[in-house]
Amino acid sequence: MMSELHEGPLTPVAQHQNGPLIAPPQKPSRREERRRRRRRRKRGEEILAWVLVPLIVFGIYLAVTTTLDFLGTSPGQVWDQLMQVKAMMEKRRPS
């Protein structure tokens, strides 16, 4: 059984016994190669975007909440304070 695995390389076999052999596929042109590279790059960029954008958004969220926790406040309190400032500015506006 082991002797079968260590035999020489395989010889090519003809595709058709009675007719001509099938010609090997032509090498793609430079333009076609460029199109294929561009498609692969765009696909890779899409996959990368689907992964990185949520990570970036989640990182920004964590940075904001961590900063607000460090300052001893919360997003709700910051919103309330902004609304108070807005109300004070509206009162000060000359009519």
Side-chain angles (χ1 to χ4, degrees):
M1 205 161 166
M2 288 296 284
S3 63
E4 292 176 8
L5 295 175
H6 296 290
E7 291 181 6
L10 297 175
T11 57
V13 178
Q15 297 289 335
H16 296 285
Q17 296 293 335
N18 298 331
L21 294 175
I22 298 174
Q26 289 184 347
K27 186 176 177 182
S29 66
R30 289 183 184 209
R31 213 176 256 179
E32 183 59 31
E33 287 177 359
R34 190 171 59 235
R35 285 185 190 126
R36 287 180 185 174
R37 282 194 309 267
R38 190 175 296 141
R39 269 189 247 127
R40 272 185 262 146
R41 188 183 69 236
K42 285 184 179 180
R43 191 176 308 130
E45 289 172 355
E46 281 289 323
I47 292 169
L48 197 62
W50 277 100
V51 172
L52 287 180
V53 169
L55 286 176
I56 291 169
V57 169
F58 185 66
I60 291 171
Y61 168 76
L62 282 179
V64 168
T65 55
T66 304
T67 303
L68 291 176
D69 285 343
F70 179 74
L71 295 174
T73 186
S74 69
Q77 289 175 338
V78 171
W79 184 258
D80 291 340
Q81 291 170 358
L82 286 174
M83 290 299 113
Q84 288 175 0
V85 170
K86 179 184 171 195
M88 287 174 40
M89 296 300 283
E90 288 175 351
K91 287 181 184 177
R92 292 180 67 183
R93 187 180 324 161
S95 298

